[in-house]
């Protein structure tokens, strides 16, 4: 079996679903603190004989050590993280606590467990893996004409979120080089797809559009991101778990650079076709521009050639098809959407987008 942390969040839940659908029959121990973005509804329908959910915090070293000793997984995959830049600007301490201190405690629990494993066999120190799921934001911001980030690029994080993830990645590297813990790290570009909490651009734009509200875009909307469909990302993680070399880092990108404004216009076009407005107007008429985020990075893009060469992975979903699949999922899952749009969520949107919320 494997142990997944943060497996009720957006990327984690999609990974758990992919893993359990693979037909290998392995169980998943899923540990999640169920913060605002961790939603038990993302995994509630999974087979309880294969999916064991534990409500807990990666920072609880005793809890994690107990779970490791009890279930004896062959791998630990860490998806648990505070992950939204806006929230990190308001509450940096929470990001340091989870993404740095929490990860440190998890690494120590995993190191103790790994050290207790035998030298050889199906479950041994050689076969065990710890996989850290990270972000391209640790590399900083790119100029329009610069090449995409490679794994050799220096870290230059510009937000409390990206700084906390960079610190965590450094811890993972150090635990490999100092203690020998067999770690693999993946750094992904902007994910989108089903189950994404609607504080991020695509689900926020979809839900605001459907509600007849303004669709807010930061600044001039010319920020460029490399968009990666979440199932493609999860397949890359699975390949990194199966074939990644301990101590190595793999960048995972969608090879789909788009400006934020371009993304929202494409999204509105899909909605115009799948859920046309009664008055015949386009959802694009709801687009508005709001004050830019402090320190907003202009461009991210990653070079995934190493993952292609060493893992045999390439993205399968094009941006247009992935966007349509994503929007169709939100249209078909109104109960899920209603369940996460709590008063706390509405207050957060109002705080960040003011009159445009």
């Amino acid at each position: 079996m494997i142990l997944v942390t943060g497996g009720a969040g957006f990327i984690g839940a999609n990974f758990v679903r992919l893993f359990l659908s693979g037909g290998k029959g392995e169980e998943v121990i899923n540990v999640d603190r169920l913060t605002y973005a961790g939603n038990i509804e993302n995994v509630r329908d999974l087979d309880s004989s294969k999916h064991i959910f534990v409500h807990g915090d990666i920072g609880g070293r005793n809890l994690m050590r107990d779970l490791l000793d009890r279930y004896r997984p062959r791998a630990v995959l860490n998806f648990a993280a505070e992950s939204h830049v806006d929230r990190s600007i308001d509450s940096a301490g929470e990001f340091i606590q989870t993404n740095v201190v929490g990860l440190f405690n998890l690494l120590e629990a995993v190191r103790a467990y790994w050290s207790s494993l035998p030298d050889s066999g199906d479950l041994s120190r050689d076969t065990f893996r710890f996989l850290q799921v990270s972000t391209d934001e640790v590399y900083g911001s790119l100029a329009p004409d610069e090449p995409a980030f490679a794994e050799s690029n220096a870290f230059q994080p510009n937000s409390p979120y990206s700084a906390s993830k960079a610190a965590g990645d450094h811890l993972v590297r150090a635990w490999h080089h100092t203690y020998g813990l067999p770690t693999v790290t993946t750094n992904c570009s902007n994910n989108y797809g089903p189950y994404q909490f609607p504080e991020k651009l695509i689900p926020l734009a979809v839900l605001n559009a459907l509600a007849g509200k303004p669709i807010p875009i930061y600044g001039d909307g010319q920020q460029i991101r490399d968009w990666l469909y979440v199932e493609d990302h999860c397949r890359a993680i699975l390949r990194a778990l199966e074939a990644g070399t301990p101590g190595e880092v793999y960048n995972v990108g969608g090879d789909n650079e788009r400006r934020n404004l371009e993304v929202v216009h494409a999204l509105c076009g899909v909605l115009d076709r799948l859920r046309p407005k009664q008055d015949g107007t386009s959802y694009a008429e709801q687009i508005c521009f709001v004050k830019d985020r402090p320190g907003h990075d202009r461009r991210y893009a990653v070079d995934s050639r190493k993952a292609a060469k060493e893992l045999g992975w390439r993205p399968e979903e094009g941006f247009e098809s992935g966007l349509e699949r994503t929007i169709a999922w939100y249209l078909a899952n109104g109960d899920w959407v209603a369940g996460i749009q709590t008063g706390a969520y509405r207050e957060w949107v109002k705080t960040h987008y003011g009159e445009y919320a």
Side-chain angles (χ1 to χ4, degrees), residues 122-349:
D122 292 339
L123 176 59
S124 66
R125 285 194 290 274
D126 284 339
T127 62
F128 179 83
R129 293 291 183 271
F130 178 90
L131 194 146
Q132 166 75 352
V133 180
S134 191
T135 172
D136 57 359
E137 296 191 39
V138 299
Y139 297 118
S141 184
L142 285 168
D145 58 347
E146 283 187 287
F149 293 123
E151 291 82 358
S152 58
N153 274 76
F155 283 10
Q156 297 185 41
N158 293 320
S159 71
Y161 161 59
S162 56
S164 68
K165 288 297 289 185
D169 289 4
H170 283 313
L171 290 178
V172 172
R173 174 185 170 87
W175 260 240
H176 171 72
H177 285 276
T178 300
Y179 303 113
L181 186 68
T183 65
V184 176
T185 298
T186 58
N187 293 89
C188 71
S189 60
N190 269 40
N191 278 219
Y192 67 102
Y195 301 104
Q196 187 170 29
F197 190 75
E199 64 186 357
K200 301 297 178 73
L201 178 63
I202 288 177
L204 176 66
V206 170
L207 300 188
N208 272 29
L210 293 172
K213 298 178 179 180
I215 303 172
I217 298 180
Y218 279 133
D220 59 6
Q222 297 304 302
Q223 299 86 0
I224 298 172
R225 301 293 183 261
D226 175 15
W227 293 91
L228 173 67
Y229 191 63
V230 66
E231 288 183 9
D232 276 334
H233 182 200
C234 292
R235 282 190 283 269
I237 293 168
L238 188 57
R239 284 299 300 149
L241 177 64
E242 294 170 343
T245 301
E248 290 297 316
V249 176
Y250 299 93
N251 285 345
V252 181
D255 196 24
N256 282 306
E257 290 189 55
R258 298 287 192 283
R259 288 175 171 80
N260 286 349
L261 183 58
E262 181 183 359
V263 169
V264 175
H265 272 289
L267 178 154
C268 289
V270 175
L271 282 174
D272 288 341
R273 181 163 42 83
L274 297 183
R275 185 69 62 83
K277 296 169 70 173
Q278 290 185 348
D279 63 5
T281 62
S282 172
Y283 289 98
E285 294 184 16
Q286 296 168 226
I287 294 173
C288 66
F289 296 90
V290 299
K291 183 180 178 181
D292 206 356
R293 165 193 292 162
H296 202 171
D297 288 337
R298 202 64 175 169
R299 174 177 171 240
Y300 304 137
V302 295
D303 183 338
S304 301
R305 284 180 293 181
K306 181 178 177 181
K309 180 180 179 180
E310 298 188 15
L311 306 179
W313 172 87
R314 288 179 176 82
E316 299 176 8
E317 198 72 52
F319 179 73
E320 289 74 16
S321 60
L323 184 63
E324 181 151 344
R325 288 182 65 184
T326 299
I327 293 171
W329 186 90
Y330 281 96
L331 291 175
N333 288 274
D335 289 344
W336 183 90
V337 170
I340 53 92
Q341 288 184 309
T342 63
Y345 168 73
R346 289 193 296 271
E347 285 299 315
W348 181 86
V349 172

Side-chain angles (χ1 to χ4, degrees), residues 83-99:
S83 65
H84 192 47
V85 173
D86 289 345
R87 289 181 184 268
S88 78
I89 293 170
D90 291 344
S91 305
E94 296 177 14
F95 285 69
I96 301 302
Q97 188 61 42
T98 297
N99 299 350

